[in-house]
């Protein structure tokens, strides 16, 4: 089976792009969830101080 070099490079770039998008999305969701957790903690702390 003969695979052309151009096709091999194309598949490498395509798979790299897909991995980049997956990792970037995961990192953004983790950052967003940590910010949400911080906001929730801040609101709960303020509520506990008032009580």
């Amino acid at each position: 089976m003969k695979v052309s070099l151009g096709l091999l490079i194309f598949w490498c770039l395509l798979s790299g792009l897909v991995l980049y998008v997956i990792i970037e999305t995961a990192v953004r969701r983790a950052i967003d969830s940590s910010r949400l957790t911080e906001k929730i903690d801040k609101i709960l702390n303020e509520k506990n101080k008032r009580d």
Side-chain angles (χ1 to χ4, degrees):
M1 184 172 129
K2 185 178 179 182
V3 178
S4 68
L5 186 60
L7 186 64
L8 186 63
I9 292 172
F10 170 76
W11 280 115
C12 286
L13 290 174
L14 186 65
S15 60
L17 180 66
V18 169
L19 281 175
Y20 172 76
V21 169
I22 291 171
I23 292 171
E24 183 71 22
T25 304
V27 168
R28 285 186 186 196
R29 286 188 180 179
I31 290 172
D32 289 344
S33 67
S34 68
R35 286 182 184 162
L36 182 63
T37 303
E38 289 174 3
K39 289 179 183 178
I40 291 172
D41 287 343
K42 183 178 177 184
I43 291 170
L44 290 176
N45 286 337
E46 289 175 0
K47 183 179 177 187
N48 289 338
K49 286 180 184 177
R50 281 188 267 157
D51 289 345

